Amino acid sequence: MNESKQDLKKTQILDAALKVIVDKGFDQSRMDDIVAESGMSKGAIYWYYKSKKDVYLSLVNHWVIEYSAPLNHIVEEDLPASQQLHSLFQFFVDQYESDSAVFKAMVEFWALSGRDDDFHQKVQKVYSEFVHIIETILLHGKSNGEFFIEDTQTAALSIMINIEGIIWFTLFDANNISVRSYMETIYQFIEAGLTTPNKELS
């Protein structure tokens, strides 16, 4: 389905906001920066968003919508759970390699969530949905005898923390090792733990 004119304009604004928050951070950025980066008039942007904060909150929603479809597709594929989990790792590697700006912005939003309830709720929603997707894969593997695990919720949270930690570590201190190498290594460890009888992630 083609995007409406309004959706295209909102995407243009949010793309500009992403660049601004990565370059300047939340506190140092202004609505005028988003206006200048977008190439749109101030009036046009205020038609859609009432403030800088409103733009950035909408940016988080935009990612949830954009990432939900491919992540849910992974879960819906008729594949072994180990392959689904590997595809999920690959998805984040591909996203990072194609554009790391989203992950840089998430660092900023994490910081904001500690002092702003609205951002806290948005960020929590993102991570809750991500954990749910991982847990769905783990439950699939558990039900077909592929994974040996009891506490799927805690395991899902642990996997999410590993993915996020690798991305953050690569953002701030790559040590000449690619995110793909990090991800593949940690995936192998996780898969080994999940598929070995009597070993549980808890």
Side-chain angles (χ1 to χ4, degrees):
M1 182 180 295
N2 292 329
E3 283 189 290
S4 69
K5 188 174 181 180
Q6 278 195 338
D7 288 338
L8 289 171
K9 286 185 178 295
K10 285 183 178 179
T11 299
Q12 185 176 347
I13 294 167
L14 295 176
D15 286 344
L18 175 60
K19 187 174 189 310
V20 170
I21 198 167
V22 169
D23 289 345
K24 296 190 173 186
F26 181 83
D27 292 335
Q28 297 302 314
S29 66
R30 301 173 302 152
M31 199 66 153
D32 285 345
D33 297 319
I34 298 172
V35 171
E37 185 64 36
S38 70
M40 297 170 62
S41 70
K42 183 179 289 189
I45 291 181
Y46 275 106
W47 175 262
Y48 296 105
Y49 301 105
K50 61 185 179 182
S51 67
K52 173 184 74 172
K53 177 179 174 179
D54 194 29
V55 176
Y56 289 136
L57 287 171
S58 184
L59 183 57
V60 179
N61 284 340
H62 179 68
W63 293 335
V64 171
I65 294 169
E66 184 174 336
Y67 284 6
S68 288
L71 288 173
N72 281 308
H73 177 70
I74 290 171
V75 173
E76 292 163 3
E77 285 188 302
D78 187 19
L79 294 171
S82 59
Q83 290 186 35
Q84 291 180 338
L85 188 60
H86 192 251
S87 294
L88 183 139
F89 273 72
Q90 288 297 114
F91 171 79
F92 283 99
V93 171
D94 292 341
Q95 291 298 309
Y96 182 90
E97 290 182 342
S98 65
D99 186 6
S100 63
V102 170
F103 300 100
K104 293 176 181 176
M106 280 306 296
V107 175
E108 185 74 15
F109 291 143
W110 254 120
L112 283 167
S113 72
R115 62 181 192 269
D116 185 288
D117 287 341
D118 293 326
F119 278 105
H120 178 75
Q121 291 176 19
K122 290 288 184 183
V123 171
Q124 284 296 108
K125 185 174 187 296
V126 172
Y127 284 93
S128 293
E129 291 191 12
F130 181 27
V131 170
H132 174 71
I133 288 170
I134 298 173
E135 187 174 12
T136 299
I137 295 173
L138 297 181
L139 288 168
H140 169 49
K142 181 179 177 179
S143 67
N144 65 17
E146 188 179 354
F147 292 160
F148 298 88
I149 184 172
E150 291 299 325
D151 189 350
T152 55
Q153 186 176 35
T154 301
L157 180 60
S158 299
I159 291 170
M160 184 204 73
I161 291 170
N162 272 279
I163 291 174
E164 181 183 55
I166 288 168
I167 288 172
W168 284 25
F169 184 75
T170 307
L171 280 173
F172 298 114
D173 187 7
N175 283 334
N176 298 318
I177 302 176
S178 71
V179 68
R180 188 171 296 274
S181 296
Y182 278 128
M183 284 287 196
E184 188 59 35
T185 299
I186 198 63
Y187 168 76
Q188 290 172 6
F189 279 113
I190 289 171
E191 184 191 24
L194 291 170
T195 57
T196 302
N198 301 319
K199 286 190 174 183
E200 301 173 358
L201 289 179
S202 56

